[in-house]
Amino acid sequence: MIQHLPILQVIIPLLAAPICFILREAKLVRWFVLLANIMAFVVSIMLLQQVNVHGTLVYTLGGWEAPIGIEYRIDELNAYLLILVTSISTVTLMAAGSSLNKEMKESKQTYFYIAYMLCLTGLLGILATGDAFNVFVFLEISSLASYTMIAMGNDRRSLWASYQYLIMGTIGATFILIGIGLMYMMTGTLNMHDLAERLVEVEQTKTVFTAFAFFLVGVCLKLALFPLHLWLPNAYAYAPSIATVFLAATATKVAIYILLRFIFSVYGFEFSFSHLPLTEILVSLGLVGIIAASIVAIYQTNVKRLFAYSSVSQIGYMILGLGIGNKTGLTATLLHLFNHALMKSAIFLALAGVVYRIGNVNIKNFAGLGRQMPWTMAAIVIGGLSLIGVPLTVGFVSKWYLVLALLENGWWPIAVLVLVGSLLAIAYIWRIVEVAYFKAPLQNNQSHKEAPPAILIPAWIFVIANFYFGIDTSFTAGLSERTAELLFGVVK
Amino acid sequence: MNFLEQYNYWIVILLMMSGFYIVIAHGNLVKKLMGLTIFQTSVFILYISISKVIGGTAPILDDQYEVYTNPLPHVLILTAIVVGVATTALGLALAVRIKEAYGTVEEDVIQEKDLQQEGSTE
């Protein structure tokens, strides 16, 4: 049993999806999906324990050894992210029942849960696999499922958002496919471990550079790096609330994982940062993303879209940390992966509560909500404080490491710009605080009650996690540092 | 001549760029999807080109032959074709739903209607 954990991680949600078809009844499906998620979560915890004890786990599918068969390779980096994805998806599902009942007909809910499970399968598959082509296949599984989830939103604009995401996402995935094809052409292998060994021999060829370029652009489309982010705001704004929570917290993080894995474990630090101007590209795009997306966020009237733009700017921070190219910077990126997922899931779950009571998230309707829905609004404000990077919240920890990394290289002007990004975050959070706490409720919005506990409790689990991991950083920071060392260690 | 020897790659690039151009330049949602399909197809040809070994036969074990074409990229591309079909199907399904909801499949009209809707809810 124990040695099959890596495949169980992916197989459990994959098998759960068709079983949902058999169960049919949305009420049954809801509990079943939650159960499958809890199992996946338990498996991910056991995986991390195994990795801590035995080091990197290698699992050969069907007993076929690596160059012929596909292998799953779990080290600290993916064990860490597997826990992140499964825990967030489990807690999100606790709120799914009541939120979906409000936003979607019961007959459609079963299909939503199926898409949710397939999306989870894809994300976990990307994290677990050690095969480059497998990454593409799982990426498409998760993407197709997320297009479906987004299109199930109430507003007709969700269809258009989903279509745009489909076009851009497919272009991104096809770029990744081209990149993998060119790598295969030069090395004759798809196994990441073998690729890393054989790419060294051919790393000065134009084909390998082209492969890297295609791959980089494709992944950056998927993770919504600044000029390639255009699909994200509408997709997050009009998707069903639960889909927004799940995608905002996990999908882009997994795309960043692909980037890290290929930059460090496959191509190697030497190739990525010394032979190519990766630092210049990533740092400048990350910075422009932080500033531009934050400014756009300030002017949004749809609060979900406001936080979607904020996501784009937070991705800028992660890319910036990666671009710095030192160990502290990478630690900051890994920390921010985890921390940003906590903040955004708290905020978007609280927004799901607002949608539950009010029906939309137009900032106008937030007037007076501070008094009518104190717990919901408090969750949004605390999530916001964490986005800004106030001490005691997780946002502070990752920004602290990011600034440290910048100062390590002596790049203080960039550190100043990072702090300017925080100031801009204060501006967009303040807009919500002002409307919610300092304005009288609108005429037709006099009597809103607190969001139901089914949504509020999961949201507060994330809020408490925001504080807990902001104060006790031993788990996240310790693991991030070890992972960063591991990734840099591969170079030696 | 070197230029013609690698004509298969030129076909790949031609198809890729024309598909990509259609996706960007056309406003009709169905045409966009067709462009996307052409774009994906070019990558299939790229993979198949990679696998070709000059003088090699079909990869079936036989005493007469020693050089075989690499079968792995063919198998990979079967998977990619399935993914491509699923994407096109989902895209077309979305186009149908968009036609029902907006009454059009032209990008500019949809964006105009979205702007009007946003203006009216403010």
PDB file of all heavy atoms in Angstrom, chain A residues 168-187:
ATOM      1  N   MET A 168      -6.705  30.838 -25.345  1.00  0.00           N
ATOM      2  CA  MET A 168      -5.358  31.165 -24.874  1.00  0.00           C
ATOM      3  C   MET A 168      -4.713  29.967 -24.200  1.00  0.00           C
ATOM      4  O   MET A 168      -3.520  29.712 -24.373  1.00  0.00           O
ATOM      5  CB  MET A 168      -5.419  32.342 -23.902  1.00  0.00           C
ATOM      6  CG  MET A 168      -5.837  33.602 -24.590  1.00  0.00           C
ATOM      7  SD  MET A 168      -5.217  35.013 -23.725  1.00  0.00           S
ATOM      8  CE  MET A 168      -6.389  36.225 -24.194  1.00  0.00           C
ATOM      9  N   GLY A 169      -5.505  29.239 -23.405  1.00  0.00           N
ATOM     10  CA  GLY A 169      -4.954  28.075 -22.721  1.00  0.00           C
ATOM     11  C   GLY A 169      -4.466  27.031 -23.706  1.00  0.00           C
ATOM     12  O   GLY A 169      -3.399  26.424 -23.515  1.00  0.00           O
ATOM     13  N   THR A 170      -5.215  26.837 -24.799  1.00  0.00           N
ATOM     14  CA  THR A 170      -4.799  25.830 -25.777  1.00  0.00           C
ATOM     15  C   THR A 170      -3.538  26.272 -26.501  1.00  0.00           C
ATOM     16  O   THR A 170      -2.644  25.454 -26.773  1.00  0.00           O
ATOM     17  CB  THR A 170      -5.932  25.572 -26.782  1.00  0.00           C
ATOM     18  OG1 THR A 170      -7.100  25.268 -26.044  1.00  0.00           O
ATOM     19  CG2 THR A 170      -5.599  24.423 -27.696  1.00  0.00           C
ATOM     20  N   ILE A 171      -3.452  27.568 -26.805  1.00  0.00           N
ATOM     21  CA  ILE A 171      -2.216  28.055 -27.429  1.00  0.00           C
ATOM     22  C   ILE A 171      -1.037  27.811 -26.491  1.00  0.00           C
ATOM     23  O   ILE A 171       0.009  27.301 -26.891  1.00  0.00           O
ATOM     24  CB  ILE A 171      -2.338  29.555 -27.789  1.00  0.00           C
ATOM     25  CG1 ILE A 171      -3.331  29.728 -28.934  1.00  0.00           C
ATOM     26  CG2 ILE A 171      -0.989  30.129 -28.188  1.00  0.00           C
ATOM     27  CD1 ILE A 171      -3.653  31.143 -29.268  1.00  0.00           C
ATOM     28  N   GLY A 172      -1.249  28.123 -25.198  1.00  0.00           N
ATOM     29  CA  GLY A 172      -0.189  27.903 -24.219  1.00  0.00           C
ATOM     30  C   GLY A 172       0.210  26.437 -24.159  1.00  0.00           C
ATOM     31  O   GLY A 172       1.398  26.091 -24.214  1.00  0.00           O
ATOM     32  N   ALA A 173      -0.779  25.555 -24.081  1.00  0.00           N
ATOM     33  CA  ALA A 173      -0.492  24.128 -23.967  1.00  0.00           C
ATOM     34  C   ALA A 173       0.203  23.619 -25.227  1.00  0.00           C
ATOM     35  O   ALA A 173       1.099  22.773 -25.156  1.00  0.00           O
ATOM     36  CB  ALA A 173      -1.783  23.360 -23.729  1.00  0.00           C
ATOM     37  N   THR A 174      -0.207  24.153 -26.404  1.00  0.00           N
ATOM     38  CA  THR A 174       0.427  23.708 -27.640  1.00  0.00           C
ATOM     39  C   THR A 174       1.881  24.163 -27.697  1.00  0.00           C
ATOM     40  O   THR A 174       2.752  23.432 -28.172  1.00  0.00           O
ATOM     41  CB  THR A 174      -0.355  24.232 -28.856  1.00  0.00           C
ATOM     42  OG1 THR A 174      -1.729  23.947 -28.648  1.00  0.00           O
ATOM     43  CG2 THR A 174       0.094  23.565 -30.129  1.00  0.00           C
ATOM     44  N   PHE A 175       2.144  25.370 -27.175  1.00  0.00           N
ATOM     45  CA  PHE A 175       3.532  25.835 -27.088  1.00  0.00           C
ATOM     46  C   PHE A 175       4.349  24.886 -26.224  1.00  0.00           C
ATOM     47  O   PHE A 175       5.484  24.539 -26.557  1.00  0.00           O
ATOM     48  CB  PHE A 175       3.584  27.255 -26.504  1.00  0.00           C
ATOM     49  CG  PHE A 175       3.506  28.340 -27.547  1.00  0.00           C
ATOM     50  CD1 PHE A 175       2.684  28.190 -28.648  1.00  0.00           C
ATOM     51  CD2 PHE A 175       4.243  29.503 -27.423  1.00  0.00           C
ATOM     52  CE1 PHE A 175       2.604  29.181 -29.603  1.00  0.00           C
ATOM     53  CE2 PHE A 175       4.176  30.488 -28.387  1.00  0.00           C
ATOM     54  CZ  PHE A 175       3.358  30.327 -29.472  1.00  0.00           C
ATOM     55  N   ILE A 176       3.757  24.465 -25.101  1.00  0.00           N
ATOM     56  CA  ILE A 176       4.455  23.529 -24.227  1.00  0.00           C
ATOM     57  C   ILE A 176       4.726  22.232 -24.986  1.00  0.00           C
ATOM     58  O   ILE A 176       5.815  21.658 -24.907  1.00  0.00           O
ATOM     59  CB  ILE A 176       3.616  23.264 -22.955  1.00  0.00           C
ATOM     60  CG1 ILE A 176       3.548  24.524 -22.119  1.00  0.00           C
ATOM     61  CG2 ILE A 176       4.194  22.105 -22.151  1.00  0.00           C
ATOM     62  CD1 ILE A 176       2.637  24.432 -20.928  1.00  0.00           C
ATOM     63  N   LEU A 177       3.724  21.797 -25.769  1.00  0.00           N
ATOM     64  CA  LEU A 177       3.878  20.564 -26.547  1.00  0.00           C
ATOM     65  C   LEU A 177       5.025  20.695 -27.556  1.00  0.00           C
ATOM     66  O   LEU A 177       5.826  19.765 -27.731  1.00  0.00           O
ATOM     67  CB  LEU A 177       2.557  20.269 -27.265  1.00  0.00           C
ATOM     68  CG  LEU A 177       2.434  18.947 -27.993  1.00  0.00           C
ATOM     69  CD1 LEU A 177       2.558  17.800 -27.014  1.00  0.00           C
ATOM     70  CD2 LEU A 177       1.091  18.854 -28.700  1.00  0.00           C
ATOM     71  N   ILE A 178       5.110  21.857 -28.217  1.00  0.00           N
ATOM     72  CA  ILE A 178       6.210  22.083 -29.159  1.00  0.00           C
ATOM     73  C   ILE A 178       7.541  22.008 -28.418  1.00  0.00           C
ATOM     74  O   ILE A 178       8.491  21.351 -28.864  1.00  0.00           O
ATOM     75  CB  ILE A 178       6.074  23.459 -29.848  1.00  0.00           C
ATOM     76  CG1 ILE A 178       4.796  23.519 -30.678  1.00  0.00           C
ATOM     77  CG2 ILE A 178       7.282  23.740 -30.739  1.00  0.00           C
ATOM     78  CD1 ILE A 178       4.472  24.898 -31.190  1.00  0.00           C
ATOM     79  N   GLY A 179       7.591  22.671 -27.259  1.00  0.00           N
ATOM     80  CA  GLY A 179       8.826  22.662 -26.474  1.00  0.00           C
ATOM     81  C   GLY A 179       9.244  21.247 -26.119  1.00  0.00           C
ATOM     82  O   GLY A 179      10.406  20.866 -26.300  1.00  0.00           O
ATOM     83  N   ILE A 180       8.290  20.450 -25.642  1.00  0.00           N
ATOM     84  CA  ILE A 180       8.606  19.072 -25.254  1.00  0.00           C
ATOM     85  C   ILE A 180       9.054  18.270 -26.483  1.00  0.00           C
ATOM     86  O   ILE A 180      10.008  17.489 -26.410  1.00  0.00           O
ATOM     87  CB  ILE A 180       7.387  18.422 -24.566  1.00  0.00           C
ATOM     88  CG1 ILE A 180       7.113  19.106 -23.242  1.00  0.00           C
ATOM     89  CG2 ILE A 180       7.616  16.931 -24.350  1.00  0.00           C
ATOM     90  CD1 ILE A 180       5.825  18.687 -22.579  1.00  0.00           C
ATOM     91  N   GLY A 181       8.366  18.499 -27.625  1.00  0.00           N
ATOM     92  CA  GLY A 181       8.735  17.786 -28.857  1.00  0.00           C
ATOM     93  C   GLY A 181      10.173  18.080 -29.259  1.00  0.00           C
ATOM     94  O   GLY A 181      10.930  17.176 -29.617  1.00  0.00           O
ATOM     95  N   LEU A 182      10.567  19.363 -29.164  1.00  0.00           N
ATOM     96  CA  LEU A 182      11.933  19.722 -29.552  1.00  0.00           C
ATOM     97  C   LEU A 182      12.946  19.137 -28.580  1.00  0.00           C
ATOM     98  O   LEU A 182      14.035  18.713 -28.980  1.00  0.00           O
ATOM     99  CB  LEU A 182      12.069  21.245 -29.639  1.00  0.00           C
ATOM    100  CG  LEU A 182      11.235  21.895 -30.747  1.00  0.00           C
ATOM    101  CD1 LEU A 182      11.349  23.410 -30.677  1.00  0.00           C
ATOM    102  CD2 LEU A 182      11.645  21.406 -32.120  1.00  0.00           C
ATOM    103  N   MET A 183      12.568  19.087 -27.290  1.00  0.00           N
ATOM    104  CA  MET A 183      13.484  18.461 -26.324  1.00  0.00           C
ATOM    105  C   MET A 183      13.656  16.984 -26.652  1.00  0.00           C
ATOM    106  O   MET A 183      14.764  16.446 -26.600  1.00  0.00           O
ATOM    107  CB  MET A 183      12.909  18.569 -24.903  1.00  0.00           C
ATOM    108  CG  MET A 183      12.999  19.918 -24.274  1.00  0.00           C
ATOM    109  SD  MET A 183      12.269  19.796 -22.618  1.00  0.00           S
ATOM    110  CE  MET A 183      11.272  21.246 -22.603  1.00  0.00           C
ATOM    111  N   TYR A 184      12.552  16.345 -26.989  1.00  0.00           N
ATOM    112  CA  TYR A 184      12.619  14.916 -27.321  1.00  0.00           C
ATOM    113  C   TYR A 184      13.494  14.703 -28.558  1.00  0.00           C
ATOM    114  O   TYR A 184      14.273  13.757 -28.648  1.00  0.00           O
ATOM    115  CB  TYR A 184      11.211  14.369 -27.551  1.00  0.00           C
ATOM    116  CG  TYR A 184      11.192  12.915 -27.931  1.00  0.00           C
ATOM    117  CD1 TYR A 184      11.433  11.946 -26.974  1.00  0.00           C
ATOM    118  CD2 TYR A 184      10.966  12.510 -29.244  1.00  0.00           C
ATOM    119  CE1 TYR A 184      11.448  10.611 -27.301  1.00  0.00           C
ATOM    120  CE2 TYR A 184      10.972  11.181 -29.590  1.00  0.00           C
ATOM    121  CZ  TYR A 184      11.217  10.226 -28.616  1.00  0.00           C
ATOM    122  OH  TYR A 184      11.246   8.905 -28.943  1.00  0.00           O
ATOM    123  N   MET A 185      13.345  15.631 -29.505  1.00  0.00           N
ATOM    124  CA  MET A 185      14.103  15.549 -30.745  1.00  0.00           C
ATOM    125  C   MET A 185      15.611  15.529 -30.465  1.00  0.00           C
ATOM    126  O   MET A 185      16.371  14.790 -31.088  1.00  0.00           O
ATOM    127  CB  MET A 185      13.754  16.772 -31.580  1.00  0.00           C
ATOM    128  CG  MET A 185      14.233  16.802 -32.975  1.00  0.00           C
ATOM    129  SD  MET A 185      13.518  18.308 -33.650  1.00  0.00           S
ATOM    130  CE  MET A 185      14.244  18.282 -35.239  1.00  0.00           C
ATOM    131  N   MET A 186      16.036  16.330 -29.501  1.00  0.00           N
ATOM    132  CA  MET A 186      17.461  16.436 -29.231  1.00  0.00           C
ATOM    133  C   MET A 186      17.981  15.337 -28.309  1.00  0.00           C
ATOM    134  O   MET A 186      19.157  15.005 -28.335  1.00  0.00           O
ATOM    135  CB  MET A 186      17.780  17.799 -28.589  1.00  0.00           C
ATOM    136  CG  MET A 186      17.616  18.984 -29.507  1.00  0.00           C
ATOM    137  SD  MET A 186      18.399  18.744 -31.110  1.00  0.00           S
ATOM    138  CE  MET A 186      20.122  18.918 -30.667  1.00  0.00           C
ATOM    139  N   THR A 187      17.115  14.810 -27.445  1.00  0.00           N
ATOM    140  CA  THR A 187      17.619  13.894 -26.419  1.00  0.00           C
ATOM    141  C   THR A 187      17.087  12.478 -26.555  1.00  0.00           C
ATOM    142  O   THR A 187      17.705  11.541 -26.050  1.00  0.00           O
ATOM    143  CB  THR A 187      17.217  14.391 -25.018  1.00  0.00           C
ATOM    144  OG1 THR A 187      15.787  14.467 -24.974  1.00  0.00           O
ATOM    145  CG2 THR A 187      17.795  15.737 -24.714  1.00  0.00           C
TER     146      THR A 187
END
